[in-house]
Amino acid sequence: MSNLYRLADQKARRRIVSFDRRELTRMLNLYSMRVASGEWRDYAIDFRPGMAIFSIFRHTAEQPVFAIAKVPGTAQGAYMVYNGPRKLAHGDNLEDVLAIFDRKLRVLLG
């Protein structure tokens, strides 16, 4: 009963990571081009302790087709692109990571 917890220390541990305006603009531009072509239909933005995730869906009721994660302070870079559990790209620059979408990516169902 004699343990003291400082609330300021707890807030510092739970640092909030978010996308800035430039990052959101870039991701939403990519998203809108793919929606116009009929590939993607929905997106979601999640904030978890230490990371922010922009998920892209083909159909609203399914799992995300791609997820773009921002996790500052990792050895592999702050940005990562996932297709399910598989990591497709990682790096320190969002533009370099999103360059993977310049290629024609297809999800193979097997």
Side-chain angles (χ1 to χ4, degrees):
M1 295 296 255
S2 63
N3 293 338
L4 295 177
Y5 295 100
R6 288 183 34 148
L7 292 178
D9 293 341
Q10 296 298 323
K11 283 186 177 181
R13 271 190 228 149
R14 288 186 290 137
R15 84 172 178 214
I16 296 173
V17 175
S18 63
F19 296 110
D20 63 23
R21 182 180 296 249
R22 180 190 57 80
E23 294 165 338
L24 276 177
T25 300
R26 176 63 178 103
M27 289 185 290
L28 288 172
N29 284 340
L30 172 66
Y31 172 76
S32 64
M33 289 187 329
R34 296 295 176 105
V35 166
S37 69
E39 293 179 61
W40 298 342
R41 288 221 151 140
D42 201 5
Y43 74 92
I45 301 174
D46 298 315
F47 301 101
R48 297 183 183 163
M51 75 169 42
I53 303 169
F54 186 90
S55 301
I56 301 162
F57 298 86
R58 180 171 290 139
H59 301 288
T60 305
E62 294 182 356
Q63 295 291 324
V65 178
F66 298 104
I68 303 164
K70 179 179 180 180
V71 187
T74 59
Q76 297 176 344
Y79 302 98
M80 294 164 228
V81 175
Y82 291 94
N83 173 248
R86 194 171 353 144
K87 187 185 302 184
L88 300 177
H90 58 86
D92 289 323
N93 187 347
L94 180 63
E95 288 297 322
D96 294 341
V97 172
L98 293 182
I100 193 165
F101 292 108
D102 293 340
R103 295 183 268 152
K104 185 67 177 174
L105 292 178
R106 294 191 180 125
V107 177
L108 302 176
L109 302 175

